[in-house]
């Protein structure tokens, strides 16, 4: 392994793309217009950009892992058009109440648990003293807390609504809030 790099763990739905519910086709995979610019900024500043996404729609039988991989190919293609690259994508296909037996389990990867981040740390040259978790749900933020990441909660996706409705009950607040992924990456690179 070469020099270790800082990392931003990036949620997918509501963060990189519009959270359209259980996305099962490229037609309803809508990249936010600022996503490529934000991720490109990480690329050019020597940060790893690692997507960590709960995809329980697989367990629920709404789409297959194959379809999700096709979508991720499409996402990478669209990001590449904007000069951006994600270094890795980790996903959790599980659900404790899954319709499909092979995915029915209480796993360690489903956010707010930390399995996906731990796997990334095991597989990638990550400087574990310089990690940030960005997402639109408090579950993303909780995952970050557990891994000693700096945390940034977004207003896109479910973020603004969840913050407004629930944040007064949170034992610990996100380190930062940002309008969207681009603003969040600005925070990461300036602090
Ligand atoms: Mg999300
Ligand atoms: Zn899982």
């Amino acid at each position: 392994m070469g020099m270790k790099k800082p990392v931003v763990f990036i949620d997918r739905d509501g963060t990189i793309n519009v959270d359209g519910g259980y996305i099962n086709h490229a037609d309803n995979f809508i990249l936010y217009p600022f996503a490529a610019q934000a991720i490109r900024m990480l690329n050019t500043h020597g940060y790893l950009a690692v997507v960590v996404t709960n995809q329980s729609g697989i367990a629920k039988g709404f789409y297959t892992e194959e379809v999700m991989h096709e979508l991720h190919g499409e996402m990478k293609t669209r990001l590449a058009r904007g000069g951006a690259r994600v270094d890795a994508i980790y996903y959790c296909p599980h659900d404790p109440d899954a319709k499909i037996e092979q995915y029915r389990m209480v796993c360690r990867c489903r956010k707010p648990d930390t399995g996906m981040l731990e796997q990334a740390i095991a597989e990638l040259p990550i400087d574990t003293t310089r990690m940030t978790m960005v997402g639109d749900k408090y579950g993303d933020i909780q995952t970050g807390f557990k891994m000693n990441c700096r945390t940034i909660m977004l207003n896109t996706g479910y973020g603004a609504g969840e913050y407004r409705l629930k944040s007064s009950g949170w034992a610990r607040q996100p380190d930062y809030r940002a309008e969207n992924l681009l603003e969040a990456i600005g925070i990461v690179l300036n602090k």
Side-chain angles (χ1 to χ4, degrees):
M1 244 188 263
M3 266 251 291
K4 300 220 171 187
K5 295 180 174 181
V7 64
V8 180
F9 295 111
I10 309 171
D11 171 52
R12 196 193 84 179
D13 300 328
T15 298
I16 295 174
N17 55 276
V18 175
D19 191 337
Y22 296 100
I23 300 170
N24 62 2
H25 191 275
D27 277 1
N28 42 36
F29 187 87
I30 302 166
L31 208 63
Y32 283 125
F34 46 76
Q37 185 190 349
I39 292 169
R40 189 177 67 230
M41 283 164 63
L42 293 176
N43 301 152
T44 58
H45 285 83
Y47 282 66
L48 294 170
V50 175
V51 177
V52 289
T53 178
N54 285 353
Q55 293 297 325
S56 66
I58 293 166
K60 294 186 169 87
F62 295 153
Y63 49 90
T64 63
E65 283 191 68
E66 187 186 0
V67 165
M68 182 207 64
H69 287 304
E70 287 169 12
L71 276 175
H72 286 170
E74 177 67 22
M75 177 178 78
K76 287 177 183 173
T77 299
R78 294 186 199 172
L79 288 172
R81 280 188 208 125
R85 170 198 86 244
V86 293
D87 293 285
I89 302 173
Y90 294 93
Y91 66 96
C92 166
H94 308 115
D95 189 295
D97 308 311
K99 180 178 166 212
I100 300 174
E101 192 177 352
Q102 78 178 106
Y103 300 116
R104 192 184 307 140
M105 66 178 83
V106 178
C107 64
R108 293 231 36 246
C109 41
R110 185 174 167 76
K111 293 176 288 182
D113 216 329
T114 54
M116 292 190 283
L117 278 65
E118 288 168 37
Q119 193 182 346
I121 289 165
E123 294 177 350
L124 302 169
I126 290 173
D127 176 352
T128 55
T129 67
R130 298 176 71 197
M131 304 194 294
T132 304
M133 176 77 221
V134 179
D136 71 311
K137 289 186 179 173
Y138 192 60
D140 299 312
I141 302 307
Q142 289 176 297
T143 309
F145 289 157
K146 291 175 193 168
M147 295 300 288
N148 293 314
C149 298
R150 179 171 43 180
T151 57
I152 307 177
M153 184 155 179
L154 306 177
N155 276 339
T156 51
Y158 287 94
E162 203 170 279
Y163 191 87
R164 183 172 174 181
L165 195 69
K166 298 181 181 167
S167 64
S168 60
W170 296 341
R172 183 173 166 185
Q173 298 294 317
D175 297 311
Y176 300 93
R177 294 180 64 210
E179 205 52 53
N180 56 41
L181 181 62
L182 183 58
E183 192 179 300
I185 299 310
I187 293 170
V188 170
L189 295 179
N190 283 310
K191 286 170 183 164

Coordinates of all heavy atoms in Angstrom, one line a residue, residues 61-103:
G61 N -36.7 -7.6 -2.8 CA -37.1 -8.1 -4.1 C -37.5 -7.1 -5.1 O -38.1 -7.4 -6.2
F62 N -37.2 -5.8 -4.9 CA -37.6 -4.7 -5.8 C -36.7 -4.6 -7.0 O -37.0 -4.1 -8.1 CB -37.7 -3.4 -5.1 CG -38.7 -3.3 -4.0 CD1 -38.6 -2.4 -3.0 CD2 -39.9 -4.1 -4.1 CE1 -39.5 -2.4 -1.9 CE2 -40.8 -4.0 -3.1 CZ -40.6 -3.2 -2.0
Y63 N -35.4 -5.0 -6.8 CA -34.5 -5.1 -7.9 C -33.3 -6.0 -7.5 O -33.2 -6.4 -6.3 CB -33.9 -3.7 -8.3 CG -33.4 -2.9 -7.1 CD1 -32.1 -3.0 -6.7 CD2 -34.3 -2.1 -6.4 CE1 -31.7 -2.2 -5.6 CE2 -33.9 -1.3 -5.3 CZ -32.6 -1.4 -4.9 OH -32.1 -0.7 -3.9
T64 N -32.6 -6.5 -8.5 CA -31.5 -7.5 -8.2 C -30.2 -6.8 -8.0 O -30.0 -5.6 -8.4 CB -31.4 -8.4 -9.4 OG1 -30.9 -7.7 -10.5 CG2 -32.7 -9.2 -9.6
E65 N -29.2 -7.5 -7.5 CA -27.9 -7.0 -7.4 C -27.3 -6.6 -8.7 O -26.6 -5.6 -8.9 CB -26.9 -8.0 -6.7 CG -27.1 -8.1 -5.2 CD -26.0 -8.9 -4.5 OE1 -24.8 -8.4 -4.5 OE2 -26.3 -9.9 -4.0
E66 N -27.7 -7.4 -9.7 CA -27.2 -7.2 -11.1 C -27.7 -5.8 -11.6 O -27.0 -5.0 -12.2 CB -27.7 -8.3 -12.0 CG -27.2 -8.2 -13.4 CD -27.8 -9.3 -14.3 OE1 -28.7 -10.0 -13.9 OE2 -27.4 -9.3 -15.5
V67 N -29.0 -5.5 -11.3 CA -29.5 -4.2 -11.8 C -28.8 -3.1 -11.0 O -28.5 -2.1 -11.6 CB -31.1 -4.2 -11.5 CG1 -31.6 -2.8 -11.5 CG2 -31.8 -5.1 -12.5
M68 N -28.6 -3.3 -9.7 CA -27.8 -2.2 -9.0 C -26.4 -2.0 -9.6 O -26.0 -0.9 -9.7 CB -27.7 -2.6 -7.5 CG -27.0 -1.5 -6.7 SD -26.2 -2.2 -5.2 CE -25.0 -3.3 -6.0
H69 N -25.8 -3.1 -9.9 CA -24.4 -3.0 -10.5 C -24.5 -2.2 -11.9 O -23.6 -1.4 -12.2 CB -23.8 -4.3 -10.7 CG -23.3 -4.9 -9.4 ND1 -22.4 -4.3 -8.6 CD2 -23.6 -6.1 -8.8 CE1 -22.2 -5.1 -7.5 NE2 -22.9 -6.2 -7.7
E70 N -25.6 -2.5 -12.6 CA -25.8 -1.8 -13.9 C -25.9 -0.3 -13.6 O -25.4 0.6 -14.3 CB -27.0 -2.3 -14.7 CG -26.7 -3.6 -15.3 CD -28.0 -4.3 -15.8 OE1 -29.1 -3.6 -15.9 OE2 -28.0 -5.5 -16.1
L71 N -26.7 0.0 -12.6 CA -27.0 1.4 -12.2 C -25.6 2.1 -11.8 O -25.4 3.3 -12.1 CB -27.9 1.5 -11.1 CG -29.4 1.5 -11.4 CD1 -30.2 1.5 -10.1 CD2 -29.8 2.7 -12.2
H72 N -24.8 1.4 -11.1 CA -23.6 1.9 -10.6 C -22.6 2.2 -11.8 O -21.9 3.1 -11.8 CB -22.9 1.0 -9.6 CG -23.6 1.1 -8.2 ND1 -23.4 0.3 -7.2 CD2 -24.6 2.0 -7.8 CE1 -24.1 0.6 -6.2 NE2 -24.9 1.7 -6.5
G73 N -22.7 1.3 -12.8 CA -22.0 1.5 -14.0 C -22.4 2.8 -14.7 O -21.6 3.6 -15.1
E74 N -23.7 3.0 -14.7 CA -24.3 4.2 -15.3 C -23.9 5.4 -14.5 O -23.5 6.5 -15.1 CB -25.8 4.1 -15.4 CG -26.6 5.3 -15.9 CD -26.3 5.5 -17.4 OE1 -25.9 4.6 -18.1 OE2 -26.5 6.7 -17.8
M75 N -23.9 5.3 -13.2 CA -23.5 6.4 -12.3 C -22.0 6.8 -12.6 O -21.7 8.0 -12.8 CB -23.7 6.0 -10.9 CG -23.2 7.1 -9.9 SD -23.5 6.6 -8.1 CE -22.1 5.5 -7.9
K76 N -21.2 5.8 -12.7 CA -19.7 6.0 -13.0 C -19.6 6.7 -14.3 O -18.7 7.6 -14.5 CB -18.9 4.7 -12.9 CG -18.8 4.2 -11.5 CD -18.0 2.9 -11.6 CE -17.8 2.2 -10.2 NZ -17.3 0.8 -10.4
T77 N -20.3 6.3 -15.3 CA -20.2 6.8 -16.7 C -20.6 8.3 -16.6 O -19.9 9.2 -17.2 CB -21.2 6.1 -17.6 OG1 -20.7 4.7 -17.7 CG2 -21.1 6.7 -19.0
R78 N -21.7 8.6 -15.9 CA -22.2 10.0 -15.9 C -21.2 10.9 -15.1 O -20.9 12.0 -15.4 CB -23.6 10.1 -15.3 CG -24.6 9.4 -16.1 CD -26.0 9.6 -15.5 NE -27.0 8.7 -16.1 CZ -28.2 8.6 -15.6 NH1 -28.7 9.3 -14.6 NH2 -29.0 7.7 -16.1
L79 N -20.7 10.3 -14.0 CA -19.7 11.1 -13.2 C -18.4 11.3 -14.1 O -17.8 12.4 -14.0 CB -19.3 10.3 -11.9 CG -20.4 10.3 -10.8 CD1 -20.0 9.4 -9.7 CD2 -20.7 11.7 -10.3
A80 N -18.0 10.3 -14.8 CA -16.8 10.4 -15.6 C -17.0 11.5 -16.7 O -16.0 12.2 -17.0 CB -16.5 9.1 -16.3
R81 N -18.2 11.7 -17.2 CA -18.4 12.8 -18.1 C -18.1 14.2 -17.5 O -17.8 15.1 -18.1 CB -19.9 12.8 -18.6 CG -20.1 11.8 -19.7 CD -21.5 11.9 -20.3 NE -22.0 10.6 -20.8 CZ -23.1 10.0 -20.5 NH1 -23.9 10.5 -19.6 NH2 -23.4 8.8 -21.0
G82 N -18.3 14.2 -16.2 CA -18.0 15.4 -15.4 C -16.6 15.4 -14.8 O -16.3 16.2 -13.9
G83 N -15.8 14.5 -15.3 CA -14.4 14.4 -14.9 C -14.2 13.8 -13.5 O -13.1 14.0 -12.8
A84 N -15.2 13.1 -13.0 CA -15.1 12.6 -11.6 C -15.1 11.1 -11.5 O -15.6 10.4 -12.4 CB -16.4 13.1 -10.8
R85 N -14.5 10.6 -10.5 CA -14.3 9.1 -10.3 C -14.6 8.8 -8.8 O -14.0 9.4 -7.9 CB -12.9 8.8 -10.7 CG -12.4 7.4 -10.4 CD -10.8 7.4 -10.4 NE -10.3 7.7 -9.2 CZ -9.5 8.8 -8.9 NH1 -9.2 9.6 -9.9 NH2 -9.1 9.0 -7.7
V86 N -15.4 7.7 -8.6 CA -15.4 7.2 -7.2 C -14.4 6.1 -7.1 O -14.2 5.3 -8.1 CB -16.8 6.7 -6.8 CG1 -17.8 7.9 -6.8 CG2 -17.4 5.6 -7.8
D87 N -13.7 6.0 -6.0 CA -12.7 5.0 -5.8 C -13.2 3.6 -5.5 O -12.6 2.6 -5.8 CB -11.7 5.5 -4.7 CG -11.0 6.8 -5.2 OD1 -10.1 6.6 -6.0 OD2 -11.4 7.9 -4.7
A88 N -14.4 3.6 -4.8 CA -15.0 2.3 -4.5 C -16.4 2.5 -4.1 O -16.8 3.6 -3.7 CB -14.2 1.6 -3.3
I89 N -17.2 1.5 -4.3 CA -18.6 1.5 -3.9 C -18.9 0.3 -3.0 O -18.5 -0.9 -3.4 CB -19.6 1.4 -5.1 CG1 -19.3 2.6 -6.1 CG2 -21.0 1.4 -4.6 CD1 -20.1 2.5 -7.4
Y90 N -19.4 0.5 -1.8 CA -19.8 -0.6 -0.9 C -21.3 -0.5 -0.7 O -21.8 0.6 -0.6 CB -19.0 -0.5 0.4 CG -17.6 -0.7 0.3 CD1 -16.7 0.4 0.1 CD2 -17.0 -2.0 0.3 CE1 -15.3 0.2 0.0 CE2 -15.7 -2.2 0.2 CZ -14.8 -1.1 0.0 OH -13.5 -1.3 -0.1
Y91 N -21.9 -1.7 -0.7 CA -23.4 -1.7 -0.6 C -23.8 -2.7 0.4 O -23.1 -3.8 0.5 CB -24.1 -1.8 -1.9 CG -23.8 -3.2 -2.6 CD1 -24.8 -4.2 -2.4 CD2 -22.7 -3.4 -3.3 CE1 -24.6 -5.4 -3.0 CE2 -22.5 -4.6 -3.9 CZ -23.4 -5.6 -3.8 OH -23.2 -6.9 -4.4
C92 N -24.9 -2.5 1.0 CA -25.6 -3.5 1.9 C -26.9 -3.9 1.2 O -27.8 -3.1 1.1 CB -25.8 -3.0 3.3 SG -26.9 -4.0 4.2
P93 N -27.0 -5.2 0.8 CA -28.2 -5.7 0.2 C -29.2 -6.3 1.2 O -30.2 -6.9 0.8 CB -27.6 -6.8 -0.8 CG -26.5 -7.4 0.0 CD -25.9 -6.2 0.8
H94 N -28.9 -6.2 2.5 CA -29.6 -7.0 3.5 C -30.8 -6.3 4.0 O -30.9 -5.1 4.0 CB -28.7 -7.4 4.6 CG -27.4 -8.1 4.1 ND1 -26.2 -7.5 4.3 CD2 -27.2 -9.3 3.5 CE1 -25.2 -8.3 3.7 NE2 -25.9 -9.4 3.2
D95 N -31.6 -7.1 4.7 CA -32.7 -6.5 5.5 C -33.2 -7.6 6.4 O -33.4 -8.8 6.0 CB -33.9 -6.1 4.5 CG -35.0 -5.4 5.3 OD1 -35.6 -6.0 6.2 OD2 -35.2 -4.2 5.0
P96 N -33.4 -7.3 7.7 CA -33.8 -8.4 8.6 C -35.1 -9.0 8.3 O -35.4 -10.1 8.7 CB -33.9 -7.6 10.0 CG -33.3 -6.3 9.8 CD -33.2 -6.0 8.3
D97 N -36.0 -8.2 7.6 CA -37.3 -8.7 7.2 C -37.4 -9.1 5.7 O -38.5 -9.0 5.1 CB -38.4 -7.7 7.6 CG -38.3 -7.2 9.0 OD1 -38.2 -8.1 9.9 OD2 -38.3 -6.0 9.2
A98 N -36.3 -9.4 5.1 CA -36.2 -9.6 3.7 C -37.2 -10.6 3.2 O -37.4 -11.6 3.8 CB -34.8 -9.9 3.3
K99 N -37.7 -10.3 2.0 CA -38.6 -11.3 1.3 C -37.7 -12.4 0.8 O -38.1 -13.6 0.8 CB -39.2 -10.5 0.2 CG -40.1 -11.4 -0.7 CD -40.8 -10.5 -1.8 CE -41.4 -11.4 -2.9 NZ -41.4 -10.8 -4.2
I100 N -36.5 -12.1 0.3 CA -35.6 -13.1 -0.3 C -34.6 -13.6 0.8 O -33.9 -12.8 1.4 CB -34.8 -12.4 -1.5 CG1 -35.9 -11.9 -2.5 CG2 -33.8 -13.4 -2.1 CD1 -35.2 -11.1 -3.6
E101 N -34.7 -14.9 1.0 CA -34.0 -15.5 2.1 C -32.5 -15.3 2.2 O -32.0 -15.0 3.3 CB -34.3 -17.0 2.1 CG -33.9 -17.7 3.4 CD -34.2 -19.2 3.4 OE1 -34.9 -19.7 2.5 OE2 -33.8 -19.8 4.4
Q102 N -31.9 -15.3 1.0 CA -30.4 -15.1 1.1 C -30.0 -13.8 1.6 O -28.8 -13.6 2.1 CB -29.8 -15.4 -0.3 CG -29.9 -14.2 -1.3 CD -29.3 -14.5 -2.6 OE1 -29.9 -14.7 -3.6 NE2 -27.9 -14.4 -2.6
Y103 N -30.9 -12.8 1.6 CA -30.5 -11.5 2.1 C -31.1 -11.2 3.5 O -31.0 -10.1 4.0 CB -31.0 -10.4 1.1 CG -30.4 -10.5 -0.3 CD1 -31.2 -10.8 -1.4 CD2 -29.0 -10.3 -0.5 CE1 -30.7 -10.9 -2.6 CE2 -28.5 -10.4 -1.7 CZ -29.3 -10.8 -2.8 OH -28.8 -10.8 -4.1

